[in-house]
Amino acid sequence: MGLYRRKDSHMWWMSFRIDGRRIYESSGTGNKKLAEKIHAKKLTEITEGRLNPKRIDGKKAFKDFAQQYLEWAGFQRSFRSKKAHIGQLMKDFRYLNLCDFSTMLVEKYQAKVLKSKRAPATANRHITALKHMFTKAVEWELADEDVLKRVRRVKLLPENNRRLRYLSKEEAQALVSACTSHLRPIVITALNTGMRKEEILSLEWARHVDLRHGFILLDKTKNGDRREIPINRPLMETL
């Protein structure tokens, strides 16, 4: 029994037993002293037999929960990629109830992704999304903490983080020459700026591209910082 803090939450959580059943519950506060008082009150209620904790059966289907989760996550910067990851998870877990998830089941899914010749990084993004979904399911009282623990036991796969080599000038020219007309300016922009695909495809003339002063302004980057990218001569000619 006691108070603890989870890595993914600023709140203090409480753990206690009632009728032999382990209960995990948020204190609803990030203030430790207040959390201690709330926890002490819970223990008193247990001793006096006045606490009847809500039982979470976890019978909600994954597909229904996924819809709720996506509605909540719609404001996040990473929503598009998260939606794609969840779309893949839906193919295997659509009709499964939240309470039926197990460590073995998720590890089998992980192995299936690898067998389809997708990169370990892809499997890791899917599993990371699933873990966060179950974190929210527990907070929303749709799943029991024990289910979250089973999902969290699945370890992420090692990824090859070596930097890819740069293309030679000849290889870059060959790549551009092989592009279709609509793809060519996108590839030229990528080669001359190092911008990510989503950054390039979300560019707007008036908002991001300043031809007069020769730079591209990115106001939404992966780490949330604004970034100015100079426009060199090949890119200026393309734009």
Side-chain angles (χ1 to χ4, degrees):
M1 291 187 179
L3 285 173
Y4 65 99
R5 221 170 194 166
R6 296 196 320 213
K7 292 181 180 179
D8 53 13
S9 175
H10 68 282
M11 298 289 187
W12 284 95
W13 281 70
M14 304 178 291
S15 172
F16 42 83
R17 283 189 179 277
I18 300 179
D19 298 329
R21 189 160 62 98
R22 174 67 69 179
I23 305 296
Y24 302 92
E25 188 176 302
S26 172
S27 68
T29 179
N31 184 304
K32 187 176 182 181
K33 288 186 177 180
L34 180 56
E36 287 173 345
K37 291 180 180 179
I38 295 171
H39 183 233
K41 182 181 177 182
K42 289 282 184 183
L43 295 180
T44 300
E45 291 175 345
I46 292 171
T47 302
E48 296 176 353
R50 294 188 287 113
L51 186 63
N52 295 310
K54 178 182 177 182
R55 285 187 173 271
I56 301 173
D57 59 19
K59 293 295 184 183
K60 194 175 190 69
F62 182 77
K63 65 182 180 66
D64 297 326
F65 167 61
Q67 183 60 40
Q68 284 182 257
Y69 180 86
L70 288 172
E71 288 173 3
W72 167 80
F75 67 91
Q76 296 178 338
R77 255 199 340 265
S78 59
F79 175 72
R80 286 174 62 184
S81 59
K82 188 169 288 187
K83 184 177 181 181
H85 300 327
I86 294 173
Q88 292 298 315
L89 292 166
M90 287 276 278
K91 293 179 180 179
D92 282 63
F93 304 133
R94 177 182 294 272
Y95 298 110
L96 197 69
N97 289 333
L98 298 182
C99 62
D100 294 328
F101 277 77
S102 66
T103 305
M104 183 175 70
L105 187 74
V106 180
E107 286 179 342
K108 281 185 175 180
Y109 173 83
Q110 193 179 47
K112 180 180 177 182
V113 174
L114 291 179
K115 285 180 181 177
S116 67
K117 296 185 178 179
R118 282 179 283 181
T122 300
N124 286 345
R125 301 298 87 77
H126 292 184
I127 300 304
T128 299
L130 188 65
K131 288 181 178 181
H132 191 259
M133 290 178 76
F134 271 92
T135 297
K136 298 308 295 183
V138 171
E139 291 179 1
W140 295 343
E141 298 185 344
L142 299 174
D144 192 270
E145 180 104 6
D146 286 338
V147 182
L148 174 59
K149 285 186 174 181
R150 295 199 293 267
V151 174
R152 280 183 173 168
R153 286 193 193 107
V154 179
K155 296 181 180 179
L156 297 181
L157 301 167
E159 299 179 20
N160 184 354
N161 293 319
R162 290 179 301 172
R163 180 180 291 276
L164 295 176
R165 69 176 181 82
Y166 292 101
L167 295 179
S168 67
K169 185 176 180 179
E170 292 74 20
E171 288 172 327
Q173 289 174 343
L175 175 61
V176 171
S177 298
C179 290
T180 57
S181 58
H182 79 279
L183 185 59
R184 188 171 294 115
I186 297 173
V187 171
I188 291 174
T189 302
L191 288 170
N192 286 278
T193 64
M195 292 168 60
R196 300 180 179 90
K197 181 182 70 173
E198 288 190 359
E199 292 174 339
I200 296 173
L201 297 182
S202 63
L203 288 177
E204 299 175 21
W205 285 110
R207 183 176 175 183
H208 302 113
V209 182
D210 188 339
L211 295 178
R212 181 181 176 186
H213 297 97
F215 68 85
I216 294 172
L217 174 64
L218 295 181
D219 50 8
K220 277 191 177 182
T221 61
K222 191 172 183 180
N223 60 10
D225 297 330
R226 288 164 62 93
R227 193 164 92 243
E228 291 183 3
I229 300 175
I231 299 173
N232 61 17
R233 180 166 300 198
L235 181 56
M236 178 66 79
E237 292 172 356
T238 297
L239 295 176

